[in-house]
Amino acid sequence: MGIGQALGFVGATVVLVGMPGPNNIYISLRSLTQGRRAGVVSAFAIETGSVVYILLAALGLAAVVQASPLVFTVISLAGAAYLAWLGVRTLRSNDSSGVGSIKVTTLGRVFREGVLVNLLNPKAALFFLAFLPQFTTRDAGTVQVRNEMLLLGLAVLAIGLLLDLCYAVGADAIGRRFRTAGRFSGLRKYVVAGIYLTIAAVAAAGVLT
Protein backbone atom coordinates (compact mmCIF):
# COMPACT_ATOMS: atom_id res chain seq x y z
CA MET A 1 0.00 0.00 0.00
CA GLY A 2 1.46 3.35 -1.07
CA ILE A 3 1.52 6.45 1.09
CA GLY A 4 -1.46 7.99 -0.68
CA GLN A 5 -3.52 4.83 -0.34
CA ALA A 6 -2.50 4.46 3.30
CA LEU A 7 -3.56 8.03 4.08
CA GLY A 8 -6.83 7.45 2.28
CA PHE A 9 -7.41 4.28 4.30
CA VAL A 10 -6.72 6.03 7.60
CA GLY A 11 -8.85 9.03 6.73
CA ALA A 12 -11.79 6.93 5.58
CA THR A 13 -11.50 4.73 8.66
CA VAL A 14 -11.56 7.73 10.99
CA VAL A 15 -14.67 9.11 9.28
CA LEU A 16 -16.55 5.81 9.08
CA VAL A 17 -15.64 4.53 12.54
CA GLY A 18 -16.00 7.90 14.25
CA MET A 19 -19.38 8.63 12.70
CA PRO A 20 -22.08 8.39 15.41
CA GLY A 21 -23.75 5.00 15.41
CA PRO A 22 -24.89 2.27 17.81
CA ASN A 23 -21.35 1.58 19.03
CA ASN A 24 -20.50 5.20 19.78
CA ILE A 25 -23.88 5.81 21.37
CA TYR A 26 -23.52 2.77 23.62
CA ILE A 27 -20.10 3.93 24.84
CA SER A 28 -21.37 7.45 25.42
CA LEU A 29 -24.39 6.22 27.33
CA ARG A 30 -22.29 4.09 29.63
CA SER A 31 -19.91 6.96 30.39
CA LEU A 32 -22.78 9.39 30.78
CA THR A 33 -24.72 7.25 33.25
CA GLN A 34 -22.01 5.20 34.98
CA GLY A 35 -18.78 7.12 34.63
CA ARG A 36 -15.50 6.84 32.78
CA ARG A 37 -14.63 3.33 33.91
CA ALA A 38 -17.81 1.89 32.40
CA GLY A 39 -17.19 3.90 29.22
CA VAL A 40 -13.66 2.53 28.87
CA VAL A 41 -14.88 -1.03 29.48
CA SER A 42 -17.58 -0.58 26.84
CA ALA A 43 -14.96 0.75 24.39
CA PHE A 44 -12.86 -2.39 24.82
CA ALA A 45 -16.03 -4.48 24.51
CA ILE A 46 -16.92 -2.85 21.20
CA GLU A 47 -13.45 -3.54 19.81
CA THR A 48 -13.61 -7.13 21.05
CA GLY A 49 -16.61 -7.50 18.76
CA SER A 50 -14.49 -5.98 15.99
CA VAL A 51 -11.90 -8.73 16.48
CA VAL A 52 -14.58 -11.28 15.62
CA TYR A 53 -15.39 -9.44 12.39
CA ILE A 54 -11.71 -9.15 11.50
CA LEU A 55 -11.20 -12.89 11.91
CA LEU A 56 -14.32 -13.63 9.86
CA ALA A 57 -13.14 -11.32 7.09
CA ALA A 58 -9.64 -12.82 7.09
CA LEU A 59 -11.01 -16.37 6.93
CA GLY A 60 -13.27 -15.47 4.03
CA LEU A 61 -16.46 -16.21 5.93
CA ALA A 62 -17.55 -12.59 5.53
CA ALA A 63 -17.95 -13.19 1.79
CA VAL A 64 -20.52 -15.87 2.54
CA VAL A 65 -22.60 -13.44 4.58
CA GLN A 66 -22.18 -10.73 1.96
CA ALA A 67 -23.35 -13.08 -0.78
CA SER A 68 -26.55 -13.89 1.12
CA PRO A 69 -28.79 -10.82 1.57
CA LEU A 70 -31.17 -12.88 3.72
CA VAL A 71 -28.45 -13.78 6.23
CA PHE A 72 -27.30 -10.19 6.48
CA THR A 73 -30.88 -8.93 6.86
CA VAL A 74 -31.58 -11.41 9.66
CA ILE A 75 -28.40 -10.42 11.52
CA SER A 76 -29.15 -6.73 11.11
CA LEU A 77 -32.74 -7.05 12.31
CA ALA A 78 -31.55 -9.12 15.26
CA GLY A 79 -29.27 -6.23 16.21
CA ALA A 80 -32.12 -3.73 15.96
CA ALA A 81 -34.36 -6.00 18.06
CA TYR A 82 -31.66 -6.34 20.71
CA LEU A 83 -31.25 -2.58 20.98
CA ALA A 84 -35.03 -2.16 21.19
CA TRP A 85 -35.13 -4.74 23.98
CA LEU A 86 -32.49 -2.80 25.90
CA GLY A 87 -34.62 0.33 25.55
CA VAL A 88 -37.80 -1.38 26.77
CA ARG A 89 -35.94 -3.01 29.66
CA THR A 90 -34.60 0.38 30.68
CA LEU A 91 -38.07 1.93 30.70
CA ARG A 92 -39.43 -0.92 32.82
CA SER A 93 -36.60 -0.72 35.36
CA ASN A 94 -36.64 1.26 38.57
CA ASP A 95 -34.34 4.26 38.84
CA SER A 96 -32.05 2.21 41.10
CA SER A 97 -31.80 -0.87 38.86
CA GLY A 98 -31.49 -1.95 35.24
CA VAL A 99 -29.61 -0.59 32.26
CA GLY A 100 -29.93 3.03 33.29
CA SER A 101 -28.54 2.42 36.74
CA ILE A 102 -25.16 3.40 38.11
CA LYS A 103 -25.33 1.10 41.12
CA VAL A 104 -26.50 -2.25 39.75
CA THR A 105 -25.05 -2.66 36.26
CA THR A 106 -21.74 -4.50 36.65
CA LEU A 107 -18.73 -3.92 34.44
CA GLY A 108 -18.96 -7.54 33.30
CA ARG A 109 -22.48 -6.90 32.08
CA VAL A 110 -21.38 -3.68 30.42
CA PHE A 111 -18.69 -5.63 28.58
CA ARG A 112 -21.00 -8.44 27.45
CA GLU A 113 -23.63 -6.03 26.18
CA GLY A 114 -21.00 -3.96 24.38
CA VAL A 115 -19.71 -7.00 22.49
CA LEU A 116 -23.25 -7.90 21.43
CA VAL A 117 -24.06 -4.35 20.37
CA ASN A 118 -21.12 -4.39 17.97
CA LEU A 119 -21.70 -7.92 16.68
CA LEU A 120 -25.34 -7.07 15.91
CA ASN A 121 -24.56 -3.62 14.53
CA PRO A 122 -25.34 -3.36 10.78
CA LYS A 123 -22.89 -0.48 10.40
CA ALA A 124 -20.00 -2.57 11.75
CA ALA A 125 -20.93 -5.54 9.58
CA LEU A 126 -21.07 -3.41 6.43
CA PHE A 127 -17.76 -1.78 7.28
CA PHE A 128 -15.83 -5.03 7.48
CA LEU A 129 -17.71 -6.67 4.59
CA ALA A 130 -17.47 -3.84 2.09
CA PHE A 131 -14.67 -1.49 3.16
CA LEU A 132 -11.64 -3.59 4.10
CA PRO A 133 -11.60 -5.75 0.94
CA GLN A 134 -11.19 -2.59 -1.15
CA PHE A 135 -7.65 -2.17 0.20
CA THR A 136 -6.42 -5.72 -0.40
CA THR A 137 -4.29 -6.74 -3.37
CA ARG A 138 -6.38 -7.91 -6.27
CA ASP A 139 -5.63 -11.32 -7.78
CA ALA A 140 -3.38 -12.12 -4.81
CA GLY A 141 -3.17 -15.56 -3.25
CA THR A 142 -5.40 -16.62 -0.39
CA VAL A 143 -2.63 -16.42 2.18
CA GLN A 144 -1.60 -12.90 1.13
CA VAL A 145 -5.17 -11.61 1.17
CA ARG A 146 -5.71 -13.17 4.58
CA ASN A 147 -2.57 -11.51 5.95
CA GLU A 148 -3.54 -8.16 4.45
CA MET A 149 -7.01 -8.38 5.97
CA LEU A 150 -5.51 -9.11 9.38
CA LEU A 151 -3.11 -6.15 9.14
CA LEU A 152 -5.85 -3.81 7.95
CA GLY A 153 -8.11 -5.10 10.70
CA LEU A 154 -5.48 -4.40 13.35
CA ALA A 155 -5.11 -0.85 12.02
CA VAL A 156 -8.88 -0.35 12.19
CA LEU A 157 -8.88 -1.82 15.68
CA ALA A 158 -6.27 0.67 16.90
CA ILE A 159 -8.03 3.65 15.29
CA GLY A 160 -11.42 2.49 16.53
CA LEU A 161 -10.23 2.02 20.11
CA LEU A 162 -8.70 5.51 20.15
CA LEU A 163 -11.92 7.08 18.89
CA ASP A 164 -14.03 5.00 21.27
CA LEU A 165 -11.95 6.14 24.24
CA CYS A 166 -12.46 9.75 23.13
CA TYR A 167 -16.21 9.19 23.21
CA ALA A 168 -15.92 7.60 26.66
CA VAL A 169 -13.88 10.45 28.13
CA GLY A 170 -15.99 13.17 26.52
CA ALA A 171 -19.30 11.67 27.64
CA ASP A 172 -17.97 11.20 31.16
CA ALA A 173 -17.02 14.88 31.35
CA ILE A 174 -20.56 15.84 30.36
CA GLY A 175 -22.16 13.28 32.64
CA ARG A 176 -20.06 14.36 35.60
CA ARG A 177 -21.61 17.82 35.52
CA PHE A 178 -25.12 16.43 35.54
CA ARG A 179 -24.35 13.88 38.23
CA THR A 180 -22.68 16.49 40.42
CA ALA A 181 -25.62 18.85 40.05
CA GLY A 182 -28.08 16.01 40.70
CA ARG A 183 -30.04 16.88 37.55
CA PHE A 184 -29.70 13.60 35.71
CA SER A 185 -30.96 10.97 38.13
CA GLY A 186 -34.66 11.39 37.41
CA LEU A 187 -34.26 11.58 33.62
CA ARG A 188 -31.52 9.00 33.22
CA LYS A 189 -33.57 5.98 32.24
CA TYR A 190 -35.75 7.97 29.82
CA VAL A 191 -32.71 9.41 28.05
CA VAL A 192 -31.04 6.01 27.82
CA ALA A 193 -34.21 4.23 26.69
CA GLY A 194 -35.02 6.91 24.15
CA ILE A 195 -31.61 6.70 22.52
CA TYR A 196 -31.67 2.88 22.44
CA LEU A 197 -35.11 2.85 20.81
CA THR A 198 -34.13 5.55 18.30
CA ILE A 199 -31.02 3.63 17.26
CA ALA A 200 -33.08 0.44 16.91
CA ALA A 201 -35.65 2.21 14.72
CA VAL A 202 -32.97 3.75 12.47
CA ALA A 203 -31.14 0.43 12.13
CA ALA A 204 -34.33 -1.43 11.26
CA ALA A 205 -35.37 1.25 8.75
CA GLY A 206 -31.99 1.05 7.05
CA VAL A 207 -32.36 -2.70 6.59
CA LEU A 208 -35.98 -2.73 5.42
CA THR A 209 -35.78 0.19 2.99
Side-chain angles (χ1 to χ4, degrees), residues 9 28 31 101 124 137 161 164 184:
F9 170 77
S28 300
S31 281
S101 170
T137 303
L161 182 59
D164 290 344
F184 195 56

Side-chain angles (χ1 to χ4, degrees), residues 62-102:
V64 176
V65 178
Q66 188 179 27
S68 176
L70 178 60
V71 172
F72 181 76
T73 299
V74 170
I75 294 175
S76 300
L77 289 178
Y82 176 70
L83 290 168
W85 175 74
L86 288 179
V88 173
R89 190 180 71 179
T90 302
L91 284 175
R92 296 179 61 184
S93 68
N94 295 323
D95 214 23
S96 60
S97 63
V99 178
S101 170
I102 294 178

Side-chain angles (χ1 to χ4, degrees), residues 171-187:
D172 173 61
I174 296 173
R176 193 178 303 170
R177 291 188 176 184
F178 284 101
R179 292 193 298 269
T180 302
R183 299 173 183 173
F184 195 56
S185 57
L187 297 175

Side-chain angles (χ1 to χ4, degrees), residues 82-141:
Y82 176 70
L83 290 168
W85 175 74
L86 288 179
V88 173
R89 190 180 71 179
T90 302
L91 284 175
R92 296 179 61 184
S93 68
N94 295 323
D95 214 23
S96 60
S97 63
V99 178
S101 170
I102 294 178
K103 298 180 180 179
V104 175
T105 307
T106 65
L107 293 180
R109 185 171 175 178
V110 169
F111 185 86
R112 291 191 299 271
E113 289 185 349
V115 173
L116 285 174
V117 165
N118 193 22
L119 289 178
L120 298 175
N121 176 12
K123 176 189 169 186
L126 282 172
F127 178 84
F128 287 99
L129 291 174
F131 178 72
L132 287 187
Q134 303 301 318
F135 292 89
T136 57
T137 303
R138 295 184 179 181
D139 301 324

